[in-house]
Amino acid sequence: SSGINAEWPLRPGTTVAMTALRGVKRQDEHRYTGKQFTCFDGSQSFPNSVVNDDYCDCADGSDEPGTSACANGSFFCVNKGFKGSYIASSRVDDGICDCCDGSDEENGKCSNNCAELGAHLLAESRRKRKEQAMGYQVRMGWSADGKAAKEKRKVELEQIRSEVEHKKAEMDERENVKNEVEKPAIEAKEAAQAEFNAQEEERKRVVEEENRVAADEVFHKMDKDQDSYISPEELSNYANSESCLLPSDELQVMIEGGEIDTPALLQQIQDKIAANREEEELRVLKEERAQVKRAKKPALKESKVVDSEEKKEKSTDCDSALIPLL
């Protein structure tokens, strides 16, 4: 028989555009044209009449794309309206409909349900894209909330720092008046401020370096195969670990999204570490403020006792009865 699909004509009235040669992908049809056919592995050549003659001539089975003659052959289902696919040649004309367009069986034995499958696949693809878009919006919302919270913590931290510095300045001034040594005290304060500024700059540099190193350590814990890329599986393993730094729900959205944006993930890790550090600094500064207030209360009590003693010395016999009321 010839290589053209003469023994398997198109079904009357069908809208499926089949390839001219049964079981052959359209891109491969040119290999079956001409008077001679060469096996795909290049081992032998035969007259074109051997194609689809239900006898296996080529060792790779390439001469029988539309029959079940070759055990290692493959049959291409066009499946217009769905997805083209290959099936084993052994499943051709076996009485079971494997291709959704029915091209693997004799004409009329199978119904063509490729359009329905294609519609379902399209609907599922749209559903997934919609879920991914929603997940992206959620992630962006979390990111915006995180930035707002970070700015709020920054403002609060600066306010507390300003208050602490103000209290320190008041205490320094009182100490200057008490000791009646204005100039040396001012010079000492300026030197201390300069040192404080230098230390603060150094502290910021050290903190930034520590944050970067800490983020790198977390990243390397995630990156099990050390390929500098975080796969969904690696991120999932990290999300289930006890040392997980980022919120599990945020990680889940990234995992379900498929490909991980590694630079963005590393930046999130650094932001989270910096936020944790700022929260700790805020806690320490609040404690310092509380200590300043506690230190101030005894001084006020001592001042009240001195005033009371002075009033006792000035009181007369007639108003001595009022002393207990002071």
Side-chain angles (χ1 to χ4, degrees), residues 275-292:
N276 289 348
R277 186 182 294 275
E278 287 185 359
E279 289 180 358
E280 176 61 19
E281 290 180 356
L282 181 60
R283 185 193 64 78
V284 172
L285 284 173
K286 286 182 177 180
E287 179 61 27
E288 288 181 0
R289 183 173 64 175
Q291 290 177 357
V292 170

Side-chain angles (χ1 to χ4, degrees), residues 225-276:
D225 54 7
Q226 301 301 307
D227 62 350
S228 298
Y229 169 78
I230 302 301
S231 67
E233 181 181 358
E234 289 174 330
L235 190 58
S236 178
N237 292 336
Y238 176 73
N240 295 324
S241 67
E242 294 181 357
S243 60
C244 184
L245 179 67
L246 299 175
S248 59
D249 53 353
E250 184 173 345
L251 293 175
Q252 188 62 33
V253 172
M254 298 175 68
I255 293 169
E256 292 176 355
E259 184 176 352
I260 306 301
D261 187 348
T262 301
L265 175 60
L266 183 57
Q267 185 60 50
Q268 282 186 267
I269 295 172
Q270 291 176 344
D271 291 344
K272 182 61 177 177
I273 290 174
N276 289 348

Side-chain angles (χ1 to χ4, degrees), residues 43-303:
S43 60
Q44 301 181 77
S45 294
F46 301 96
N48 190 269
S49 59
V50 305
V51 177
N52 281 348
D53 64 353
D54 207 24
Y55 181 82
C56 195
D57 298 289
C58 296
D60 61 3
S62 56
D63 64 305
E64 296 298 316
T67 73
S68 58
C70 298
N72 60 339
S74 59
F75 179 93
F76 181 72
C77 306
V78 177
N79 295 341
K80 185 175 180 180
F82 187 50
K83 298 186 296 186
S85 62
Y86 283 98
I87 62 172
S89 293
S90 60
R91 298 164 70 179
V92 176
D93 294 330
D94 61 353
I96 299 175
C97 301
D98 299 290
C99 302
C100 70
D101 61 6
S103 58
D104 60 307
E105 300 300 323
E106 293 181 4
N107 187 27
K109 279 195 172 184
C110 302
S111 60
N112 186 336
N113 62 342
C114 290
E116 292 84 351
L117 292 176
H120 177 74
L121 180 64
L122 179 60
E124 182 66 14
S125 176
R126 287 174 176 172
R127 183 188 66 80
K128 288 183 178 180
R129 286 199 299 270
K130 184 177 179 180
E131 288 182 352
Q132 290 174 350
M134 292 175 62
Y136 178 77
Q137 291 299 324
V138 171
R139 179 183 175 186
M140 291 297 100
W142 286 339
S143 179
D145 292 344
K147 289 180 179 178
K150 181 179 179 181
E151 288 300 318
K152 182 179 179 181
R153 288 194 299 268
K154 184 177 180 180
V155 171
E156 187 177 6
L157 182 61
E158 289 300 325
Q159 290 176 344
I160 294 176
R161 283 177 175 170
S162 177
E163 184 177 349
V164 170
E165 290 301 317
H166 180 70
K167 297 298 182 181
K168 286 182 177 179
E170 287 184 351
M171 293 176 67
D172 289 343
E173 182 64 24
R174 289 176 182 177
E175 187 68 18
N176 291 339
V177 173
K178 178 182 177 181
N179 296 328
E180 297 181 352
V181 186
E182 296 289 342
K183 186 175 180 179
I186 293 175
E187 291 177 350
K189 180 182 176 181
E190 291 177 349
Q193 185 63 48
E195 182 179 0
F196 174 81
N197 292 339
Q199 291 176 350
E200 183 67 10
E201 290 298 322
E202 178 62 14
R203 185 193 67 80
K204 289 181 180 179
R205 186 192 67 77
V206 171
V207 166
E208 289 177 358
E209 180 62 17
E210 289 176 350
N211 289 346
R212 185 191 65 77
V213 172
D216 287 343
E217 290 178 356
V218 173
F219 183 84
H220 286 304
K221 287 181 180 179
M222 291 185 184
D223 189 16
K224 295 298 184 182
D225 54 7
Q226 301 301 307
D227 62 350
S228 298
Y229 169 78
I230 302 301
S231 67
E233 181 181 358
E234 289 174 330
L235 190 58
S236 178
N237 292 336
Y238 176 73
N240 295 324
S241 67
E242 294 181 357
S243 60
C244 184
L245 179 67
L246 299 175
S248 59
D249 53 353
E250 184 173 345
L251 293 175
Q252 188 62 33
V253 172
M254 298 175 68
I255 293 169
E256 292 176 355
E259 184 176 352
I260 306 301
D261 187 348
T262 301
L265 175 60
L266 183 57
Q267 185 60 50
Q268 282 186 267
I269 295 172
Q270 291 176 344
D271 291 344
K272 182 61 177 177
I273 290 174
N276 289 348
R277 186 182 294 275
E278 287 185 359
E279 289 180 358
E280 176 61 19
E281 290 180 356
L282 181 60
R283 185 193 64 78
V284 172
L285 284 173
K286 286 182 177 180
E287 179 61 27
E288 288 181 0
R289 183 173 64 175
Q291 290 177 357
V292 170
K293 289 183 178 180
R294 287 194 296 267
K296 183 178 178 181
K297 288 181 179 179
L300 291 174
K301 290 181 179 179
E302 182 179 353
S303 176

